[in-house]
Amino acid sequence: MSHPHPDLGTPPPLAEGALRVTPLGGLGEIGRNMTVFEYGGRLLIVDCGVLFPEEQQPGVDLILPDFTSIRDRLDKIDGIVLTHGHEDHIGAVPFLLREKPDLPLIGSKLTLALIEAKLTEHRIRPYTLEVKEGDRERIGAFDCEFIAVNHSIPDALAVAIRTPAGMVVATGDFKMDQLPLDKRLTDLPTFARLGEEGIDLLLVDSTNAEVPGFIAPERDIGPVLQQVFDRADKRIIVASFASHVHRIQQVLDTAHEFGRKVAFVGRSMVRNMGIARDLGYLKVPGGLVVDVKTLDDLPDEDVVLVCTGSQGEPMAALSRMANRDHQIRIVEGDTVILASSLIPGNENAVYRVINGLTRWGADVVHKGNAKVHVSGHASAGELLYFFNICKPRNLMPVHGEWRHLRAVSDLGQKTGISKDRIVLAEDGVVVDLVDGVAKIAGKVQAGYVYVDGLSVGDITEGSLKDRRILGEEGIISVFLVVDSATGKIVGGPNIQARGSGIEDDAFGPAIQKMQDALSKSAQDGVIEPRQVQQLVRRVLGKWVSDTYRRRPMILPVVVEV
């Protein structure tokens, strides 16, 4: 079993007849999925998604893969294969297409419709190739076969990539629901056929590898929704991912059964459900869906709202409702259903929203107290079954945190895959398939690229550290005027504290310490404004730390006269 190493160097030139696999996101994290395949100097990208920020990344809207390693080779890219339409697989496509708008996008009908709608907002008209399960297309240097897989969004595909170096199968996100709502099963016969042909490297979804057994079918949620609807006396508000068509279909069916009207809330929810309805993936009974503006004319017991925010995203509709910052006001007796799982890292944000909703009197139904969610990812029992069908010569877990990747490694070994044929990598680690053996060859840059408003890549880890300090410790500004010739103070220092918990009039002892230190430094000839600023920051910082055990950001402003 290969292990990434922090001292890995730049990979050597790719050997002739070899295939290179470089994950730029999705390994060691849930999200930002993107993998680059290289053969004969040509590149194929599978997925290009985003990661959503956590609490320790204040002000960040999205996190992108780092395109640095491919930026000077964009003209070598034969296409971008998109396995399905979730944001963690398509969300970064607009940012890559900003750099080269004519990169071809390959995907299923629904996936392409979702990304095209997103690209319209970025004023990009993409080149697209629509494929479906069973199709086999030559995409430049890569012979790609597309396989149906079942997931929590319709039209998901796995892809088998054939080159003279061997065949790689990337599952994308998948599970093996045997009773899917759309009757579209994961195509196990095709995977078995590929296994017989010989899968040289299998890149497999790892998210649920720690979960024993088999995932419950999506249709099991229907009876639970019926129970919740039956006991609800007032409005029902359902929070879900804006692309979870199967889940929202069940909400629509249950609302229709109970005679309620449904309104979609939030731009992405309205857009995606409109696309799914227009393409026939969402079946909407006539008159069921109404505009949110008409809800005031309906009794509460006849209303269902479907919105975003199931992960506690601060700007999503549900979070704003919990904070009393939305036109829809939560009132006593409302029922709120969080119809999704908890993505690792979002727990605190989600429970903060649950507490906020409960505070206003809502009955909050979530995965912890009712079966209102089933996962879209294969669990351990399904993966064992899958490995026995595919019989891969080499295995590379993807789409998961480290605990998930190692769990897949353990499962693979149980099915007879040799330990030295299982590659445990992380973002940026380069894996070469040479003569049927997958080995780590080096590492490329694959850090976080932050999107903050209109800024892409300008925010650094240092900037985020400053923001965290400002949020947690506050800021103290110091203003003083010094004589440019002598360095002596002729005005100030004046101190203002914000967010530090220290009153402005408490700085008397600190002012005296600064005056003494500056007087001594002036005698020593230290009169440069930059040196004075550093001295003020050091003296005041030590006083605050010793007195209050705090470390706020200190911003000295020195004016010479």
Side-chain angles (χ1 to χ4, degrees):
M1 179 162 49
S2 304
H3 293 270
H5 191 276
D7 298 328
L8 283 173
T10 303
L14 182 60
E16 187 175 350
L19 176 70
R20 176 160 287 175
V21 182
T22 307
L24 296 181
L27 276 72
E29 61 197 359
I30 304 292
R32 216 170 59 116
N33 299 283
M34 181 176 180
T35 307
V36 180
F37 297 85
E38 179 181 354
Y39 181 82
R42 305 299 298 180
L43 306 179
L44 179 74
I45 294 172
V46 173
D47 290 328
C48 187
V50 296
L51 179 68
F52 292 102
E54 298 181 7
E55 288 182 335
Q56 66 268 30
Q57 293 153 335
V60 174
D61 299 316
L62 297 170
I63 304 171
L64 309 179
D66 189 337
F67 304 142
T68 302
S69 64
I70 60 171
R71 186 162 279 121
D72 61 351
R73 297 192 292 165
L74 296 178
D75 60 335
K76 306 294 186 184
I77 297 173
D78 288 329
I80 304 172
V81 173
L82 302 172
T83 59
H84 63 282
H86 280 152
E87 285 293 303
D88 60 336
H89 290 257
I90 68 170
V93 169
F95 299 93
L96 183 55
L97 263 56
R98 281 185 190 180
E99 304 196 22
K100 196 174 191 306
D102 61 349
L103 292 174
L105 304 180
I106 302 98
S108 64
K109 180 188 291 187
L110 179 61
T111 303
L112 290 180
L114 293 173
I115 189 59
E116 284 170 343
K118 183 180 292 291
L119 288 168
T120 298
E121 297 179 2
H122 292 258
R123 298 180 180 177
I124 297 173
R125 296 188 65 181
Y127 291 84
T128 61
L129 171 64
E130 183 182 314
V131 295
K132 62 183 184 302
E133 56 266 29
D135 286 355
R136 187 165 172 175
E137 295 283 348
R138 187 82 192 181
I139 303 170
F142 305 89
D143 178 1
C144 297
E145 180 177 353
F146 299 92
I147 309 118
V149 291
N150 182 257
H151 185 42
S152 54
I153 185 173
D155 248 8
L157 295 168
V159 58
I161 304 167
R162 293 177 175 88
T163 69
M167 176 173 33
V168 178
V169 172
T171 66
D173 292 359
F174 85 109
K175 62 177 177 177
M176 288 158 55
D177 189 341
Q178 299 303 297
L179 298 169
L181 293 176
D182 59 1
K183 298 182 171 56
R184 186 174 177 272
L185 295 162
T186 292
D187 189 354
L188 296 178
T190 293
F191 282 112
R193 172 176 57 78
L194 295 173
E196 291 300 319
E197 181 182 335
I199 298 173
D200 294 288
L201 177 61
L202 176 63
L203 276 60
V204 67
D205 177 7
S206 307
T207 307
N208 268 345
E210 291 185 310
V211 179
F214 285 67
I215 295 299
E218 178 75 26
R219 65 177 62 241
D220 282 4
I221 290 173
V224 181
L225 288 175
Q226 289 177 328
Q227 293 173 14
V228 174
F229 273 63
D230 189 46
R231 70 170 188 255
D233 296 325
K234 291 189 177 179
R235 294 180 302 180
I236 297 173
I237 300 162
V238 182
S240 175
F241 291 120
S243 53
H244 202 331
V245 178
H246 295 321
R247 188 68 41 81
I248 293 167
Q249 181 68 68
Q250 295 197 86
V251 172
L252 295 181
D253 293 343
T254 309
H256 184 60
E257 180 182 340
F258 280 82
R260 288 177 178 254
K261 300 293 185 183
V262 177
F264 295 123
V265 180
R267 187 180 60 172
S268 60
M269 182 66 75
V270 171
R271 181 191 66 201
N272 288 355
M273 291 307 108
I275 291 169
R277 180 191 58 218
D278 293 344
L279 295 179
Y281 294 95
L282 189 70
K283 310 296 183 185
V284 183
L288 176 66
V289 173
V290 299
D291 191 285
V292 68
K293 296 174 184 176
T294 67
L295 294 182
D296 290 341
D297 300 329
L298 296 173
D300 285 351
E301 62 270 18
D302 291 346
V303 170
V304 175
L305 295 157
V306 179
C307 67
T308 56
S310 60
Q311 296 302 310
E313 306 95 312
M315 296 307 295
L318 193 67
S319 296
R320 292 173 58 201
M321 292 178 201
N323 294 330
R324 277 288 198 263
D325 183 29
H326 197 278
Q327 64 186 27
I328 296 166
R329 311 278 285 185
I330 299 295
V331 297
E332 188 82 30
D334 283 346
T335 299
V336 179
I337 304 172
L338 271 66
S340 69
S341 63
L342 278 176
I343 293 176
N346 293 348
E347 293 88 350
N348 290 340
V350 171
Y351 284 116
R352 189 179 300 117
V353 169
I354 290 174
N355 282 321
L357 296 167
T358 305
R359 176 187 179 192
W360 305 119
D363 175 19
V364 183
V365 181
H366 55 88
K367 187 181 178 183
N369 58 24
K371 191 174 182 178
V372 288
H373 173 74
V374 297
S375 178
H377 304 270
S379 58
E382 292 164 70
L383 290 173
L384 288 171
Y385 191 78
F386 189 68
F387 294 158
N388 285 328
I389 287 174
C390 292
K391 297 178 286 191
R393 298 182 179 119
N394 298 271
L395 176 65
M396 183 174 170
V398 297
H399 197 289
E401 297 179 343
W402 266 103
R403 57 197 173 98
H404 306 127
L405 305 182
R406 287 199 176 276
V408 165
S409 171
D410 293 341
L411 293 171
Q413 291 177 59
K414 287 179 180 177
T415 62
I417 303 171
S418 175
K419 187 175 181 179
D420 61 2
R421 291 296 187 95
I422 300 174
V423 181
L424 282 179
E426 58 189 344
D427 293 343
V429 169
V430 175
V431 177
D432 285 354
L433 181 65
V434 185
D435 297 328
V437 179
K439 294 288 186 183
I440 288 175
K443 191 170 187 178
V444 299
Q445 182 176 323
Y448 283 178
V449 175
Y450 298 106
V451 178
D452 182 356
L454 297 177
S455 163
V456 179
D458 295 336
I459 303 302
T460 64
E461 292 295 339
S463 304
L464 289 180
K465 182 180 179 182
D466 289 346
R467 290 181 180 184
R468 288 193 292 269
I469 292 172
L470 284 170
E472 296 167 6
E473 303 286 350
I475 184 172
I476 299 174
S477 57
V478 186
F479 182 85
L480 65 156
V481 182
V482 298
D483 187 305
S484 60
T486 65
K488 292 183 178 180
I489 300 175
V490 295
N494 295 322
I495 298 180
Q496 285 189 327
R498 294 290 181 270
S500 66
I502 307 172
E503 298 295 332
D504 289 351
D505 57 9
F507 286 98
I511 291 174
Q512 185 61 53
K513 283 181 177 292
M514 282 188 288
Q515 289 172 334
D516 293 344
L518 290 168
S519 176
K520 183 176 184 305
S521 69
Q523 294 174 6
D524 295 338
V526 179
I527 60 174
E528 288 290 324
R530 183 176 177 82
Q531 294 174 309
V532 174
Q533 287 178 338
Q534 291 174 337
L535 180 62
V536 168
R537 186 179 289 114
R538 185 167 63 250
V539 172
L540 181 56
K542 185 176 187 307
W543 180 83
V544 172
S545 177
D546 292 345
T547 309
Y548 291 96
R549 295 293 185 267
R550 298 188 70 83
R551 299 187 65 180
M553 180 175 289
I554 296 173
L555 185 64
V557 179
V558 178
V559 178
E560 287 185 300
V561 294

